[in-house]
Amino acid sequence: MMLLQTILAFAVVLGVLVIVHELGHYLVARWCGVKVLRFSVGMGKVVYSRRFGADQTEWAVSILPLGGYVKMLDARDDELGDISPEDMKREFTRQSVWRRIAIVAAGPIANFLLAIAVFAGLYSYGIPEPAPKLRAPAEKSVAYQAGLRGNELVTSVNGEPVQIWNDLRWQMVQSVINKQPVRLEVESPVAGAPDAKHIQTITLPVDSISPNELEGDFLGKLGIDLARPPAVLGQVVPDGPAMKAGLQQGDRVLRVNGAPITDGLSLVELVRASPGKNLEVDVLRNGQPVSLRVVPDEVNADGQTFGRIKVEVPMAPDMVVAHHSLFGALLKGVQKTWDTSVLTIKMVGKMIIGEVSWKNVTGPITIADYAGQTARIGWISYLSFIAFVSISLGVMNLLPIPVLDGGLLLYYAVEVLTGRPVSERFGAIAQRAGIGILMTLMLVAVFNDINRLIS
């Protein structure tokens, strides 16, 4: 069932992105008066097609699902034969260089517009996200050394306001890429004054984090983590270790074996690491201290052994819903799309010069896996994933590689500067080189995908 869901989720992502991209080319071509012969979703042999419109454009589905194309009337195609004088005016190469630039650039631009629309819709709807509230860091961590002690609410990063945890993480990612320290504006409660807030600026060095670590828990390596609620016990399962020890719903766990318990997550982590061991648990019950002894059950699963005491422990972070006006959401969508595009370009540049590993190149298997995962999480995560992949597709298509849109745009830029088009011989050689580059990238991506599956 999960495999089927993953395949369907991937098919929807791929179909939407290809159709949007090719519609960009198609609509601008029609607007510029160019005759479109075929609109294909997929590559290779056509398996289904129908013709519509005054030009009898062929709308087709082709056998290879990775990609698509818009075939325009082009005098360079031998199979076209003689072109009538009426159609010659609508032939692609007869258009001005600026019209050709507009047609070619329209595909990637359509991908960026899709991302902007998705982000704007999500921001306008309101996305429930964890609040940027920090958990107490370990004493040897970078965060602790910088002055963070836990329970701080981050209000801005590097001068940019943050409302949700993803805003915080995004700004941290950019600081790691740019190799710049992070400046956190935080506020924390003042003891004895519940309405007062202590505001301070924390400078957090990130030079210990490599860009290669951004896919993992790089925040955790710095000591940055989500704040969790106190370890106040929920429902106690009958006949479990917790009930046998005398623990009750509503007990607040203060210490285990003398070690302070700062939140529910720290209690769960300690119990999981202590299968079959005696644990001295100090709790606060109705304002009175109570000491108990509990022995976690030994549980074996997936080749691992861990402890469990069968009691509910709250670990969900504080959640906020960030709403924006329609105009504000649109601005946020534009900013998010721009920032993501710039970050993608920087990552590509760092891969070229060797600062970022080529292991970060992902292929269709990884994309399909992420599509399935986000679809199972919920529609908000799935739509966000579509937007991010759409941005990646737009950026990658603008790279100056022959056979991609960016390669054609490079040709046209040369034509604008020199006043004459690139020679057909040079174009043919460059196209073969571009195919070689793309095949190499595809092999690297598939290799990385397989390596992720077996590792």
Side-chain angles (χ1 to χ4, degrees), residues 393-419:
L393 180 61
V395 171
M396 296 306 292
N397 265 281
L398 286 177
L399 294 179
I401 299 175
V403 311
L404 292 181
D405 295 331
L408 295 176
L409 291 174
L410 180 62
Y411 295 166
Y412 299 149
V414 171
E415 183 175 345
V416 169
L417 294 174
T418 63

PDB file of all heavy atoms in Angstrom, residues 393-419:
ATOM      1  N   LEU A 393      13.550  22.433 -10.308  1.00  0.00           N
ATOM      2  CA  LEU A 393      13.422  22.187 -11.748  1.00  0.00           C
ATOM      3  C   LEU A 393      13.669  23.466 -12.536  1.00  0.00           C
ATOM      4  O   LEU A 393      14.348  23.457 -13.570  1.00  0.00           O
ATOM      5  CB  LEU A 393      12.034  21.633 -12.059  1.00  0.00           C
ATOM      6  CG  LEU A 393      11.730  21.316 -13.524  1.00  0.00           C
ATOM      7  CD1 LEU A 393      12.689  20.255 -14.046  1.00  0.00           C
ATOM      8  CD2 LEU A 393      10.285  20.847 -13.681  1.00  0.00           C
ATOM      9  N   GLY A 394      13.123  24.579 -12.048  1.00  0.00           N
ATOM     10  CA  GLY A 394      13.330  25.853 -12.728  1.00  0.00           C
ATOM     11  C   GLY A 394      14.792  26.256 -12.750  1.00  0.00           C
ATOM     12  O   GLY A 394      15.320  26.666 -13.795  1.00  0.00           O
ATOM     13  N   VAL A 395      15.459  26.133 -11.610  1.00  0.00           N
ATOM     14  CA  VAL A 395      16.873  26.511 -11.526  1.00  0.00           C
ATOM     15  C   VAL A 395      17.723  25.604 -12.408  1.00  0.00           C
ATOM     16  O   VAL A 395      18.583  26.077 -13.160  1.00  0.00           O
ATOM     17  CB  VAL A 395      17.363  26.455 -10.067  1.00  0.00           C
ATOM     18  CG1 VAL A 395      18.881  26.623 -10.000  1.00  0.00           C
ATOM     19  CG2 VAL A 395      16.687  27.535  -9.230  1.00  0.00           C
ATOM     20  N   MET A 396      17.496  24.289 -12.318  1.00  0.00           N
ATOM     21  CA  MET A 396      18.313  23.360 -13.092  1.00  0.00           C
ATOM     22  C   MET A 396      18.146  23.578 -14.591  1.00  0.00           C
ATOM     23  O   MET A 396      19.106  23.442 -15.358  1.00  0.00           O
ATOM     24  CB  MET A 396      17.955  21.917 -12.726  1.00  0.00           C
ATOM     25  CG  MET A 396      18.250  21.546 -11.282  1.00  0.00           C
ATOM     26  SD  MET A 396      19.962  21.875 -10.780  1.00  0.00           S
ATOM     27  CE  MET A 396      20.828  20.667 -11.771  1.00  0.00           C
ATOM     28  N   ASN A 397      16.939  23.931 -15.021  1.00  0.00           N
ATOM     29  CA  ASN A 397      16.715  24.182 -16.447  1.00  0.00           C
ATOM     30  C   ASN A 397      17.382  25.460 -16.927  1.00  0.00           C
ATOM     31  O   ASN A 397      17.570  25.637 -18.129  1.00  0.00           O
ATOM     32  CB  ASN A 397      15.216  24.222 -16.756  1.00  0.00           C
ATOM     33  CG  ASN A 397      14.684  22.896 -17.227  1.00  0.00           C
ATOM     34  OD1 ASN A 397      14.855  22.519 -18.373  1.00  0.00           O
ATOM     35  ND2 ASN A 397      14.051  22.171 -16.321  1.00  0.00           N
ATOM     36  N   LEU A 398      17.731  26.355 -16.010  1.00  0.00           N
ATOM     37  CA  LEU A 398      18.391  27.600 -16.395  1.00  0.00           C
ATOM     38  C   LEU A 398      19.910  27.479 -16.388  1.00  0.00           C
ATOM     39  O   LEU A 398      20.601  28.435 -16.748  1.00  0.00           O
ATOM     40  CB  LEU A 398      17.964  28.730 -15.451  1.00  0.00           C
ATOM     41  CG  LEU A 398      16.539  29.259 -15.658  1.00  0.00           C
ATOM     42  CD1 LEU A 398      16.202  30.318 -14.622  1.00  0.00           C
ATOM     43  CD2 LEU A 398      16.353  29.825 -17.063  1.00  0.00           C
ATOM     44  N   LEU A 399      20.435  26.334 -15.973  1.00  0.00           N
ATOM     45  CA  LEU A 399      21.880  26.155 -16.027  1.00  0.00           C
ATOM     46  C   LEU A 399      22.341  26.204 -17.484  1.00  0.00           C
ATOM     47  O   LEU A 399      21.673  25.681 -18.376  1.00  0.00           O
ATOM     48  CB  LEU A 399      22.280  24.814 -15.403  1.00  0.00           C
ATOM     49  CG  LEU A 399      22.034  24.663 -13.901  1.00  0.00           C
ATOM     50  CD1 LEU A 399      22.462  23.279 -13.434  1.00  0.00           C
ATOM     51  CD2 LEU A 399      22.772  25.736 -13.115  1.00  0.00           C
ATOM     52  N   PRO A 400      23.494  26.834 -17.760  1.00  0.00           N
ATOM     53  CA  PRO A 400      23.955  27.003 -19.147  1.00  0.00           C
ATOM     54  C   PRO A 400      24.524  25.727 -19.745  1.00  0.00           C
ATOM     55  O   PRO A 400      25.689  25.678 -20.148  1.00  0.00           O
ATOM     56  CB  PRO A 400      25.019  28.097 -19.005  1.00  0.00           C
ATOM     57  CG  PRO A 400      25.555  27.913 -17.626  1.00  0.00           C
ATOM     58  CD  PRO A 400      24.380  27.488 -16.784  1.00  0.00           C
ATOM     59  N   ILE A 401      23.692  24.692 -19.792  1.00  0.00           N
ATOM     60  CA  ILE A 401      24.087  23.411 -20.371  1.00  0.00           C
ATOM     61  C   ILE A 401      23.319  23.224 -21.677  1.00  0.00           C
ATOM     62  O   ILE A 401      22.091  23.319 -21.683  1.00  0.00           O
ATOM     63  CB  ILE A 401      23.769  22.248 -19.411  1.00  0.00           C
ATOM     64  CG1 ILE A 401      24.545  22.418 -18.092  1.00  0.00           C
ATOM     65  CG2 ILE A 401      24.109  20.908 -20.048  1.00  0.00           C
ATOM     66  CD1 ILE A 401      24.191  21.377 -17.045  1.00  0.00           C
ATOM     67  N   PRO A 402      24.007  22.984 -22.790  1.00  0.00           N
ATOM     68  CA  PRO A 402      23.290  22.750 -24.049  1.00  0.00           C
ATOM     69  C   PRO A 402      22.261  21.636 -23.889  1.00  0.00           C
ATOM     70  O   PRO A 402      22.463  20.702 -23.118  1.00  0.00           O
ATOM     71  CB  PRO A 402      24.419  22.337 -25.009  1.00  0.00           C
ATOM     72  CG  PRO A 402      25.642  22.986 -24.439  1.00  0.00           C
ATOM     73  CD  PRO A 402      25.473  22.954 -22.950  1.00  0.00           C
ATOM     74  N   VAL A 403      21.148  21.763 -24.605  1.00  0.00           N
ATOM     75  CA  VAL A 403      19.945  20.933 -24.589  1.00  0.00           C
ATOM     76  C   VAL A 403      18.991  21.337 -23.473  1.00  0.00           C
ATOM     77  O   VAL A 403      17.817  20.988 -23.512  1.00  0.00           O
ATOM     78  CB  VAL A 403      20.192  19.401 -24.526  1.00  0.00           C
ATOM     79  CG1 VAL A 403      21.197  18.976 -25.560  1.00  0.00           C
ATOM     80  CG2 VAL A 403      20.595  18.930 -23.150  1.00  0.00           C
ATOM     81  N   LEU A 404      19.473  22.079 -22.467  1.00  0.00           N
ATOM     82  CA  LEU A 404      18.571  22.643 -21.472  1.00  0.00           C
ATOM     83  C   LEU A 404      18.164  24.052 -21.899  1.00  0.00           C
ATOM     84  O   LEU A 404      18.789  24.672 -22.759  1.00  0.00           O
ATOM     85  CB  LEU A 404      19.236  22.698 -20.092  1.00  0.00           C
ATOM     86  CG  LEU A 404      19.535  21.366 -19.397  1.00  0.00           C
ATOM     87  CD1 LEU A 404      20.169  21.627 -18.038  1.00  0.00           C
ATOM     88  CD2 LEU A 404      18.268  20.539 -19.241  1.00  0.00           C
ATOM     89  N   ASP A 405      17.118  24.591 -21.263  1.00  0.00           N
ATOM     90  CA  ASP A 405      16.679  25.947 -21.588  1.00  0.00           C
ATOM     91  C   ASP A 405      17.801  26.956 -21.368  1.00  0.00           C
ATOM     92  O   ASP A 405      17.959  27.913 -22.134  1.00  0.00           O
ATOM     93  CB  ASP A 405      15.470  26.324 -20.728  1.00  0.00           C
ATOM     94  CG  ASP A 405      14.258  25.465 -21.035  1.00  0.00           C
ATOM     95  OD1 ASP A 405      14.134  25.003 -22.185  1.00  0.00           O
ATOM     96  OD2 ASP A 405      13.426  25.250 -20.130  1.00  0.00           O
ATOM     97  N   GLY A 406      18.592  26.753 -20.317  1.00  0.00           N
ATOM     98  CA  GLY A 406      19.688  27.676 -20.041  1.00  0.00           C
ATOM     99  C   GLY A 406      20.729  27.692 -21.141  1.00  0.00           C
ATOM    100  O   GLY A 406      21.308  28.749 -21.437  1.00  0.00           O
ATOM    101  N   GLY A 407      20.990  26.533 -21.771  1.00  0.00           N
ATOM    102  CA  GLY A 407      21.925  26.501 -22.883  1.00  0.00           C
ATOM    103  C   GLY A 407      21.423  27.282 -24.077  1.00  0.00           C
ATOM    104  O   GLY A 407      22.182  28.024 -24.721  1.00  0.00           O
ATOM    105  N   LEU A 408      20.119  27.133 -24.380  1.00  0.00           N
ATOM    106  CA  LEU A 408      19.535  27.903 -25.487  1.00  0.00           C
ATOM    107  C   LEU A 408      19.576  29.398 -25.190  1.00  0.00           C
ATOM    108  O   LEU A 408      19.863  30.213 -26.076  1.00  0.00           O
ATOM    109  CB  LEU A 408      18.094  27.452 -25.728  1.00  0.00           C
ATOM    110  CG  LEU A 408      17.921  26.010 -26.222  1.00  0.00           C
ATOM    111  CD1 LEU A 408      16.435  25.659 -26.319  1.00  0.00           C
ATOM    112  CD2 LEU A 408      18.593  25.824 -27.582  1.00  0.00           C
ATOM    113  N   LEU A 409      19.288  29.762 -23.948  1.00  0.00           N
ATOM    114  CA  LEU A 409      19.336  31.183 -23.578  1.00  0.00           C
ATOM    115  C   LEU A 409      20.749  31.735 -23.711  1.00  0.00           C
ATOM    116  O   LEU A 409      20.934  32.905 -24.074  1.00  0.00           O
ATOM    117  CB  LEU A 409      18.826  31.366 -22.147  1.00  0.00           C
ATOM    118  CG  LEU A 409      17.330  31.104 -21.946  1.00  0.00           C
ATOM    119  CD1 LEU A 409      16.975  31.170 -20.464  1.00  0.00           C
ATOM    120  CD2 LEU A 409      16.489  32.114 -22.729  1.00  0.00           C
ATOM    121  N   LEU A 410      21.750  30.896 -23.439  1.00  0.00           N
ATOM    122  CA  LEU A 410      23.138  31.327 -23.628  1.00  0.00           C
ATOM    123  C   LEU A 410      23.415  31.591 -25.106  1.00  0.00           C
ATOM    124  O   LEU A 410      24.062  32.593 -25.457  1.00  0.00           O
ATOM    125  CB  LEU A 410      24.086  30.256 -23.083  1.00  0.00           C
ATOM    126  CG  LEU A 410      25.583  30.560 -23.197  1.00  0.00           C
ATOM    127  CD1 LEU A 410      25.947  31.802 -22.405  1.00  0.00           C
ATOM    128  CD2 LEU A 410      26.408  29.365 -22.718  1.00  0.00           C
ATOM    129  N   TYR A 411      22.921  30.704 -25.989  1.00  0.00           N
ATOM    130  CA  TYR A 411      23.069  30.931 -27.427  1.00  0.00           C
ATOM    131  C   TYR A 411      22.460  32.273 -27.833  1.00  0.00           C
ATOM    132  O   TYR A 411      23.057  33.047 -28.597  1.00  0.00           O
ATOM    133  CB  TYR A 411      22.380  29.821 -28.228  1.00  0.00           C
ATOM    134  CG  TYR A 411      22.974  28.450 -28.084  1.00  0.00           C
ATOM    135  CD1 TYR A 411      22.258  27.336 -28.516  1.00  0.00           C
ATOM    136  CD2 TYR A 411      24.237  28.246 -27.547  1.00  0.00           C
ATOM    137  CE1 TYR A 411      22.788  26.052 -28.416  1.00  0.00           C
ATOM    138  CE2 TYR A 411      24.776  26.977 -27.430  1.00  0.00           C
ATOM    139  CZ  TYR A 411      24.037  25.886 -27.854  1.00  0.00           C
ATOM    140  OH  TYR A 411      24.550  24.623 -27.748  1.00  0.00           O
ATOM    141  N   TYR A 412      21.256  32.517 -27.335  1.00  0.00           N
ATOM    142  CA  TYR A 412      20.556  33.749 -27.725  1.00  0.00           C
ATOM    143  C   TYR A 412      21.236  34.979 -27.152  1.00  0.00           C
ATOM    144  O   TYR A 412      21.214  36.060 -27.769  1.00  0.00           O
ATOM    145  CB  TYR A 412      19.096  33.687 -27.293  1.00  0.00           C
ATOM    146  CG  TYR A 412      18.333  32.533 -27.923  1.00  0.00           C
ATOM    147  CD1 TYR A 412      17.280  31.916 -27.257  1.00  0.00           C
ATOM    148  CD2 TYR A 412      18.672  32.051 -29.174  1.00  0.00           C
ATOM    149  CE1 TYR A 412      16.594  30.854 -27.821  1.00  0.00           C
ATOM    150  CE2 TYR A 412      18.000  30.987 -29.749  1.00  0.00           C
ATOM    151  CZ  TYR A 412      16.957  30.384 -29.062  1.00  0.00           C
ATOM    152  OH  TYR A 412      16.289  29.329 -29.626  1.00  0.00           O
ATOM    153  N   ALA A 413      21.851  34.844 -25.979  1.00  0.00           N
ATOM    154  CA  ALA A 413      22.604  35.968 -25.416  1.00  0.00           C
ATOM    155  C   ALA A 413      23.799  36.298 -26.297  1.00  0.00           C
ATOM    156  O   ALA A 413      24.113  37.478 -26.539  1.00  0.00           O
ATOM    157  CB  ALA A 413      23.065  35.621 -23.997  1.00  0.00           C
ATOM    158  N   VAL A 414      24.465  35.254 -26.809  1.00  0.00           N
ATOM    159  CA  VAL A 414      25.575  35.471 -27.743  1.00  0.00           C
ATOM    160  C   VAL A 414      25.070  36.152 -29.012  1.00  0.00           C
ATOM    161  O   VAL A 414      25.719  37.060 -29.555  1.00  0.00           O
ATOM    162  CB  VAL A 414      26.257  34.120 -28.085  1.00  0.00           C
ATOM    163  CG1 VAL A 414      27.268  34.300 -29.218  1.00  0.00           C
ATOM    164  CG2 VAL A 414      26.933  33.546 -26.851  1.00  0.00           C
ATOM    165  N   GLU A 415      23.887  35.728 -29.478  1.00  0.00           N
ATOM    166  CA  GLU A 415      23.316  36.326 -30.682  1.00  0.00           C
ATOM    167  C   GLU A 415      23.000  37.803 -30.462  1.00  0.00           C
ATOM    168  O   GLU A 415      23.214  38.637 -31.360  1.00  0.00           O
ATOM    169  CB  GLU A 415      22.051  35.569 -31.084  1.00  0.00           C
ATOM    170  CG  GLU A 415      21.421  36.063 -32.376  1.00  0.00           C
ATOM    171  CD  GLU A 415      20.239  35.224 -32.808  1.00  0.00           C
ATOM    172  OE1 GLU A 415      20.079  34.091 -32.277  1.00  0.00           O
ATOM    173  OE2 GLU A 415      19.459  35.690 -33.673  1.00  0.00           O
ATOM    174  N   VAL A 416      22.496  38.139 -29.270  1.00  0.00           N
ATOM    175  CA  VAL A 416      22.202  39.548 -28.965  1.00  0.00           C
ATOM    176  C   VAL A 416      23.489  40.368 -28.982  1.00  0.00           C
ATOM    177  O   VAL A 416      23.533  41.493 -29.509  1.00  0.00           O
ATOM    178  CB  VAL A 416      21.505  39.661 -27.588  1.00  0.00           C
ATOM    179  CG1 VAL A 416      21.444  41.122 -27.139  1.00  0.00           C
ATOM    180  CG2 VAL A 416      20.099  39.081 -27.651  1.00  0.00           C
ATOM    181  N   LEU A 417      24.575  39.799 -28.434  1.00  0.00           N
ATOM    182  CA  LEU A 417      25.839  40.534 -28.325  1.00  0.00           C
ATOM    183  C   LEU A 417      26.565  40.637 -29.657  1.00  0.00           C
ATOM    184  O   LEU A 417      27.194  41.664 -29.954  1.00  0.00           O
ATOM    185  CB  LEU A 417      26.749  39.855 -27.295  1.00  0.00           C
ATOM    186  CG  LEU A 417      26.263  39.890 -25.837  1.00  0.00           C
ATOM    187  CD1 LEU A 417      27.180  39.071 -24.956  1.00  0.00           C
ATOM    188  CD2 LEU A 417      26.181  41.324 -25.335  1.00  0.00           C
ATOM    189  N   THR A 418      26.506  39.582 -30.493  1.00  0.00           N
ATOM    190  CA  THR A 418      27.275  39.558 -31.740  1.00  0.00           C
ATOM    191  C   THR A 418      26.456  39.956 -32.964  1.00  0.00           C
ATOM    192  O   THR A 418      27.026  40.290 -34.006  1.00  0.00           O
ATOM    193  CB  THR A 418      27.865  38.154 -31.985  1.00  0.00           C
ATOM    194  OG1 THR A 418      26.792  37.213 -32.147  1.00  0.00           O
ATOM    195  CG2 THR A 418      28.746  37.743 -30.808  1.00  0.00           C
ATOM    196  N   GLY A 419      25.134  39.868 -32.843  1.00  0.00           N
ATOM    197  CA  GLY A 419      24.280  40.201 -33.971  1.00  0.00           C
ATOM    198  C   GLY A 419      24.065  39.058 -34.938  1.00  0.00           C
ATOM    199  O   GLY A 419      23.414  39.237 -35.974  1.00  0.00           O
TER     200      GLY A 419
END
